Amino acid sequence: MPTAPHPQNTDELYQALQENDRRPYGRTRTVTAEELVDAAEQFAEPVPLVHALLELQEAYTYGSEPRKSPVVFARLLTLFDEQPDVFDDRLRHMLFWRFKWVGHALRQLPEIPLASLRQWLTEMRDRYEKAGLGLQPYYGQAYQLAAHVGEDTTLAYELWAGRTRTRLSDCEACEICERALYHLAAGDDERALSAWEPVLAGKESCQEEPARSVSYALLPLLRTGRTDRARELHLVGYRSCRRNPSMSQEVGRHLEFCALTGNEARGLELLAENRSLFDEVDSPLDLLGFLTGVEVLLQRVELLGHGELPAAGYAGRTWTVAGLRAEVRGRADDLAARFDARNGTTAHTDRRRARLDRAPLLDALELTLRTRGLDDVAPAAPVATSAARTAAAVPESLPELILQTRRLEEQGHPDARACWARLRTLVAARDYTHPDDPDVGPLVQLRADLLADEASRAGDKDEFADSAVLYEEAAALYDDAGLPGHAAVARAAALFATAEIPAEGAERAEAKAAALTAAHASMVRLQEETPGLAPHQESRLLRMRATALGLRLQTSGSEEHAAAAFAEVDLLHAFATRHDIVGQISGALLLRAGTYAISGDLPTAATEIDALLDRLKAHGPAWHLPRTLGLRARLQLGLRAAQTAHADLTEALRLATDWPADTVDTARLHGELAEVCMHLGRPDEALRHLTRSAELDLRHGSRTDAFCTYSNAAQLSLDLGRVEDCIALLDSLLAEPDVAAGEMDDRLVAQLRLTRARALHAGEDLKAATAELVALAAESAGWDDDPGSHAMIAAETAVLLGESAEFGRAREAADQALAAHARAPRYEQLSNCLRELARLQAQNQGPDGLADALAYLADAGRIAEEARAAAYEAHGRSLDTALAYEHGRVNAYAGEYEDALAALEKALALLGEPGPDDDRAGEWAECVRLAGAVEGIYLERPAPALTRLDAAVSSLTALGHTEETEPLISLAARLRGEE
């Protein structure tokens, strides 16, 4: 099927070729190039056909289709021989350059005899000599063939490397890589890395570099102790080659790097991301390199005892690690044997074996913010507790297990979770037989117990609707078992969970407060109407009542709700004390401290919590200590004692290691410690705790909470300038199966993608950032319930399109943003966007872009008027002064210097002279600088410009703003001819 309209003339053909050149390499570009060759053949002129054939050969070369590239080049060579005058200097240069492409393609095909490869080199030499061209490129090809075959390369290297480069030599980056690989093959890591440095540092680059060099340099960097550099380059380099068939060998080396640094789980994740390469790589040599890297990874995973883990492999069936490894080994062995048979050596088999025999270079190298082990990839298993505390033994006897589990549940003991998990497995078995024991009770009671535990876990994950349904089902089963007390507790828990279901609409707080009030009233009635409640059941009902009123106070913030909350806490405390229910005594005291905190009385709350901590240390229960220390830390933070809060949370986490993480909410403790670290100015430590919090939430099934925390971690890493860390984390999250399947909350995923686009932009990958934002803007256009977010996304998209000089599309995106802004104003974001678009268009197009730039500024002016009418105050620069400054800058770019100066005078008047503590000093100084430059340089009026600058320097110096004077002093010196 045609991918584009058929060109009707050569102008349309050239336009289509240019458009295709902007596409990424792959099947779409290749098929289009094939169609354009067919189209070019209809024209009588040979030049368009030459251009089309050159584009097709490039598509085959970088689309990993080496079998087809030489065929296309043969047509070009025939055209050159028959009509040499058709080839101008540029086309002739391209033709002779591509002799090397053919040599590279032939080496990749084991079915091409070695004699044919040597014959091609002879052809290349003869052609170069006949054309009067230097032979350094020919000797480069001869060296690469010797290295490929496995011959002694010493002479071939000297004949190439010792010659002077010519216009047809490979680019500097590619030649640097070949020289480094020569030293690497000789076992000299240091010399290889020294040779590579210009490429690794980004000073030399091309289509394939630095991605190719990076992939080879990873292991030498590790062997020479440069682990941080290896980590950094892995993140940058992998992103440059992933899912690219023509760089499949590079992907393989990144997989190998993961396998040898204790990052096997990340390796499996990257393998899944590159699954398409198994079928898309048409180059046997590239496929051999890729498969060998895959096998290194799979071999390591299997050696670690995880051969049954799922792995992404060839399409059409599911694979385990062990099964895929066997398949890959057979195919790669066959490819290596075919190359060795063609070359008459054992080089490829030997190189492959050397890679497979390498021992890990590091036990563990933290590559990304999302550190995962193979156990995290394996099916979830109960999380073991720390060795610091011996968990209660799970009885072998089924009756004892049931009774112990219920005792632990009554106490609220964390070990109950493991017992319930064991019971759930036993009861689900086909051969389960319930004990005939009056102490254990009937099977229906146990099924009710299990449902109640499942409901509790659902509530812990904020799945309140599911929790309520499960509690109601449990209550019905308790009724069937003749246990009204148990049923009452379950129904109260269902009432509480129902009240926790988030309300819809604008009055959500009022609705939730009303729901909690109703739930509390129903619980009171339930308790009054249920006879024969055991003390532990009555205390649980009182605890839920007190918690409901505490949450109501927190939700409403109304002082009138405080007294009722305190009264319920007092009831709970008195009852628990009377019956010596230790866990509920602690719970009541914790609720009391929390109620004081919600009421705004932080000092009293702190006093209460101190007393509770003393009691817990003396009487227990010990598992309440981490949560209580967490509350005290929040109080200390509210009292601006961040260092004390840090100490409390650190101790809480130490104590939490004694208990299963989900039962003492270790994830929350890490999240709170991250917040405290930010208050203390320790963002790197905060980042570690954020990722740990997310990992724990993910491990315990709280995926939404985990992704929210990961989103915060990604934003923090971006704020810290750790761009590649941010991108790697987000790539990993966005590759999760439930995200890819559209099962995760779409707005949360959109936030992850938005942060990723910003990170790509910060990492100077403008093309990828723009593509991500364009797609996100298209999706967010359908968010009728959230036009403000669409306005923001469309505005950012417009700016990136402007940076790409796609001003037509930028205008369309800006209009979308303005339309959404009309429904949900985003004054500052839209003003910033429009001013930046005006600057970009004027800077890029000069006078030709002035009209469009001024149209953007007119839109920004209307937004500033709207903001004034709405009494909106900008968080950053004043919208009016920023607009006036931009009028000056835009007119200056367009050569309208008088208008520019007038606009800058207006901006200065709006700003007014800064004061000693004025944060506008920098903005004011920049306006003065630009006004001085326009007046003194472009309007050629240095005297008034110098007067302006000197006065500003004096004023700023007197106010103590010496840093802001530096650009003004520099400009004044230039105007005086001192520079």
Side-chain angles (χ1 to χ4, degrees):
M1 180 181 292
T3 59
H6 203 70
Q8 299 302 307
N9 53 56
T10 56
D11 287 341
E12 290 184 6
L13 176 69
Y14 285 128
Q15 182 179 351
L17 287 169
Q18 289 177 352
E19 290 173 357
N20 201 38
D21 187 56
R22 289 195 287 269
R23 291 189 174 98
Y25 295 109
R27 287 307 301 158
T28 300
R29 176 167 177 166
T30 299
V31 170
T32 304
E34 290 170 340
E35 292 171 356
L36 293 176
V37 168
D38 293 340
E41 289 175 331
Q42 72 179 325
F43 304 119
E45 305 171 48
V47 175
L49 178 59
V50 170
H51 282 279
L53 288 169
L54 287 168
E55 162 62 21
L56 180 57
Q57 189 192 11
E58 182 176 344
Y60 285 148
T61 298
Y62 289 107
S64 190
E65 297 190 58
R67 290 180 173 85
K68 298 178 180 179
S69 173
V71 177
V72 178
F73 188 74
R75 291 190 65 185
L76 284 164
L77 209 52
T78 299
L79 280 169
F80 177 73
D81 290 338
E82 293 174 351
Q83 303 178 67
D85 293 342
V86 166
F87 289 75
D88 59 19
D89 288 345
R90 177 173 170 275
L91 293 177
R92 182 174 176 274
H93 177 85
M94 292 176 72
L95 179 83
F96 278 94
W97 181 277
R98 294 186 180 195
F99 272 89
K100 299 178 294 182
W101 286 12
V102 174
H104 177 71
L106 296 177
R107 288 196 299 274
Q108 294 189 334
L109 305 172
E111 63 266 30
I112 304 297
L114 185 59
S116 297
L117 270 67
R118 299 195 190 283
Q119 183 179 347
W120 178 252
L121 284 180
T122 301
E123 173 80 4
M124 178 180 176
R125 177 173 185 144
D126 292 346
R127 292 269 188 174
Y128 269 51
E129 286 181 331
K130 183 178 179 180
L133 301 171
L135 292 181
Q136 196 261 11
Y138 156 77
Y139 282 108
Q141 287 292 300
Y143 162 69
Q144 290 178 37
L145 178 59
H148 167 81
V149 169
E151 300 171 341
D152 183 353
T153 57
T154 305
L155 179 59
Y157 179 80
E158 292 302 327
L159 287 171
W160 160 61
R163 273 182 160 73
T164 303
R165 286 171 46 79
T166 74
R167 289 181 63 242
L168 288 167
S169 297
D170 284 344
C171 74
E172 285 278 8
C174 287
E175 289 206 342
I176 285 171
C177 185
E178 291 299 336
R179 287 195 290 272
L181 289 175
Y182 175 77
H183 299 309
L184 191 63
D188 194 339
D189 286 345
E190 288 289 357
R191 194 169 179 186
L193 290 170
S194 178
W196 259 318
E197 185 51 35
V199 175
L200 300 183
K203 297 175 183 176
E204 299 288 346
S205 63
C206 69
Q207 178 71 35
E208 299 172 341
E209 295 291 352
R212 181 169 178 251
S213 289
V214 163
S215 71
Y216 277 112
L218 294 174
L219 299 187
L221 285 166
L222 290 180
R223 289 194 292 261
T224 56
R226 299 171 173 92
T227 53
D228 288 343
R229 183 75 166 134
R231 175 187 181 278
E232 172 193 347
L233 289 175
H234 163 68
L235 295 179
V236 177
Y238 170 70
R239 187 161 55 84
S240 301
C241 63
R242 64 178 185 163
R243 298 196 295 266
N244 184 345
S246 69
M247 304 204 84
S248 56
Q249 290 205 64
E250 285 75 6
V251 172
R253 286 188 282 273
H254 281 280
L255 297 178
E256 180 179 0
F257 175 74
C258 290
L260 300 180
T261 56
N263 287 279
E264 298 84 6
R266 173 168 169 79
L268 291 176
E269 182 180 296
L270 302 190
L271 178 60
E273 188 175 15
N274 291 277
R275 182 174 195 164
S276 61
L277 296 185
F278 284 106
D279 302 305
E280 290 181 359
V281 178
D282 193 49
S283 159
L285 187 61
D286 286 348
L287 188 59
L288 172 60
F290 171 64
L291 292 179
T292 301
V294 171
E295 188 179 351
V296 171
L297 171 66
L298 298 176
Q299 174 181 270
R300 181 65 184 157
V301 174
E302 191 171 2
L303 185 66
L304 292 171
H306 292 276
E308 295 308 309
L309 282 178
Y314 294 93
R317 59 166 285 190
T318 57
W319 297 93
T320 64
V321 166
L324 182 60
R325 180 192 172 198
E327 181 72 18
V328 164
R329 182 171 61 240
R331 296 192 187 212
D333 282 346
D334 178 65
L335 283 170
R338 289 174 61 199
F339 277 107
D340 287 345
R342 189 270 300 276
N343 298 335
T345 66
T346 60
H348 287 274
T349 297
D350 294 343
R351 291 167 189 166
R352 181 171 141 68
R353 178 47 51 198
R355 290 177 70 180
L356 289 166
D357 287 347
R358 280 194 186 110
L361 296 173
L362 291 172
D363 291 334
L365 172 63
E366 187 176 310
L367 290 182
T368 68
L369 295 174
R370 190 184 183 195
T371 304
R372 299 202 299 165
L374 291 171
D375 289 334
D376 296 310
V377 181
V383 179
T385 59
S386 163
R389 178 190 70 90
T390 302
V394 177
E396 290 295 327
S397 162
L398 181 57
E400 289 180 18
L401 174 60
I402 295 171
L403 294 172
Q404 176 166 306
T405 303
R406 287 171 179 163
R407 282 195 299 272
L408 293 172
E409 182 67 26
E410 283 182 17
Q411 299 168 20
H413 198 292
D415 288 344
R417 281 284 168 91
C419 293
W420 285 127
R422 174 65 179 151
L423 277 173
R424 186 169 285 106
T425 301
L426 293 173
V427 173
R430 284 188 173 186
D431 59 351
Y432 175 76
T433 302
H434 192 67
D436 184 11
D437 185 333
D439 290 334
V440 169
L443 176 59
V444 67
Q445 179 184 355
L446 180 56
R447 293 198 184 280
D449 291 340
L450 292 169
L451 277 173
D453 175 63
E454 189 178 348
S456 173
R457 288 185 289 113
D460 290 344
K461 294 184 231 179
D462 294 344
E463 296 168 358
F464 299 117
D466 292 342
S467 178
V469 170
L470 290 166
Y471 273 126
E472 287 289 358
E473 291 177 6
L477 292 181
Y478 282 131
D479 284 337
D480 292 344
L483 298 168
H486 290 71
V489 172
R491 287 198 172 90
L495 289 166
F496 190 85
T498 301
E500 284 271 69
I501 297 172
E504 301 291 335
E507 308 298 325
R508 282 175 287 188
E510 291 84 349
K512 183 172 181 179
L516 288 164
T517 299
H520 175 265
S522 297
M523 289 178 199
V524 172
R525 285 195 301 274
L526 191 63
Q527 187 169 354
E528 291 172 348
E529 295 170 359
T530 305
L533 287 168
H536 74 89
Q537 293 169 338
E538 195 148 4
S539 67
R540 282 193 66 186
L541 290 167
L542 288 169
R543 175 77 168 271
M544 283 187 274
R545 286 167 48 177
T547 304
L549 292 191
L551 274 177
R552 183 180 68 172
L553 174 62
Q554 184 178 31
T555 301
S556 68
S558 173
E559 290 183 10
E560 66 184 34
H561 290 150
F566 278 117
E568 283 288 48
V569 170
D570 289 343
L571 276 176
L572 170 62
H573 184 257
F575 184 89
T577 302
R578 187 161 63 251
H579 293 278
D580 195 26
I581 305 174
V582 177
Q584 297 294 9
I585 295 172
S586 165
L589 294 173
L590 194 65
L591 280 169
R592 180 180 291 162
T595 305
Y596 276 118
I598 294 167
S599 302
D601 189 350
L602 297 187
T604 302
T607 300
E608 289 280 336
I609 213 75
D610 288 343
L612 173 56
L613 283 168
D614 290 340
R615 176 184 172 81
L616 288 173
K617 290 170 185 175
H619 305 290
W623 60 87
H624 282 200
L625 277 167
R627 182 172 54 177
T628 306
L629 283 165
L631 177 56
R632 186 167 76 170
R634 293 196 294 278
L635 295 174
Q636 294 297 338
L637 193 59
L639 293 167
R640 299 188 179 182
Q643 193 61 57
T644 304
H646 187 280
D648 281 343
L649 284 166
T650 301
E651 176 65 7
L653 284 170
R654 186 187 71 80
L655 295 173
T657 60
D658 286 347
W659 310 101
D662 56 337
T663 61
V664 291
D665 208 354
T666 307
R668 178 173 177 172
L669 294 174
H670 278 288
E672 290 171 348
L673 188 50
E675 181 184 357
V676 170
C677 289
M678 291 301 293
H679 279 276
L680 291 171
R682 290 145 69 169
D684 289 302
E685 184 181 347
L687 189 56
R688 288 196 298 275
H689 287 293
L690 278 176
T691 54
R692 183 61 181 147
S693 174
E695 288 158 17
L696 288 168
D697 273 334
L698 204 59
R699 190 173 299 167
H700 298 119
S702 301
R703 295 187 67 78
T704 300
D705 289 342
F707 273 64
C708 287
T709 305
Y710 272 132
S711 178
N712 293 335
Q715 184 60 56
L716 178 55
S717 63
L718 182 57
D719 294 341
L720 291 173
R722 295 172 60 172
V723 174
E724 294 301 332
D725 279 326
C726 176
I727 295 170
L729 172 60
L730 292 169
D731 283 346
S732 175
L733 296 173
L734 292 168
E736 284 285 317
D738 53 351
V739 176
E743 297 166 3
M744 182 62 69
D745 179 81
D746 63 335
R747 305 305 165 85
L748 177 53
V749 173
Q751 181 59 58
L752 297 174
R753 291 172 58 194
L754 180 60
T755 305
R756 182 177 183 273
R758 290 168 175 166
L760 289 167
H761 187 227
E764 300 181 355
D765 193 343
L766 180 60
K767 186 175 181 180
T770 304
E772 183 75 271
L773 272 178
V774 166
L776 196 52
E779 292 174 27
S780 63
W783 295 354
D784 293 334
D785 61 329
D786 190 10
S789 291
H790 175 58
M792 178 190 68
I793 292 168
E796 289 194 42
T797 304
V799 171
L800 263 62
L801 287 167
E803 289 184 21
S804 303
E806 296 188 50
F807 293 111
R809 294 176 68 196
R811 181 72 252 188
E812 292 173 6
D815 288 341
Q816 286 184 33
L818 286 166
H821 161 81
R823 297 172 57 201
R826 294 292 186 271
Y827 301 110
E828 196 159 3
Q829 292 95 327
L830 264 291
S831 177
N832 293 345
C833 157
L834 293 164
R835 297 195 318 269
E836 179 64 5
L837 286 170
R839 180 192 71 79
L840 288 166
Q841 190 140 16
Q843 186 177 26
N844 186 278
Q845 297 180 336
D848 293 339
L850 181 59
D852 289 336
L854 291 176
Y856 281 127
L857 294 181
D859 289 334
R862 285 189 288 275
I863 285 176
E865 291 172 6
E866 294 171 11
R868 279 196 302 277
Y872 174 82
E873 291 188 14
H875 295 91
R877 300 165 64 191
S878 156
L879 301 189
D880 291 307
T881 58
L883 181 60
Y885 171 81
E886 211 58 67
H887 268 288
R889 187 156 59 167
V890 162
N891 278 290
Y893 281 134
E896 299 293 334
Y897 301 119
E898 292 290 358
D899 289 344
L901 186 59
L904 292 167
E905 294 281 10
K906 179 181 177 181
L908 287 165
L910 288 169
L911 278 168
E913 291 204 12
D917 300 319
D918 201 328
D919 57 6
R920 296 173 303 145
E923 185 180 358
W924 184 82
E926 168 55 20
C927 280
V928 172
R929 185 202 65 77
L930 185 54
V934 169
E935 191 171 28
I937 298 172
Y938 299 108
L939 291 174
E940 299 180 351
R941 301 202 291 258
L946 283 167
T947 300
R948 179 195 306 276
L949 293 167
D950 290 344
V953 169
S954 297
S955 175
L956 291 168
T957 302
L959 293 168
H961 298 299
T962 54
E963 185 177 341
E964 286 80 359
T965 65
E966 293 175 7
L968 306 183
I969 293 170
S970 176
L971 177 59
R974 177 182 173 186
L975 292 177
R976 290 190 174 96
E978 296 175 9
E979 289 188 345

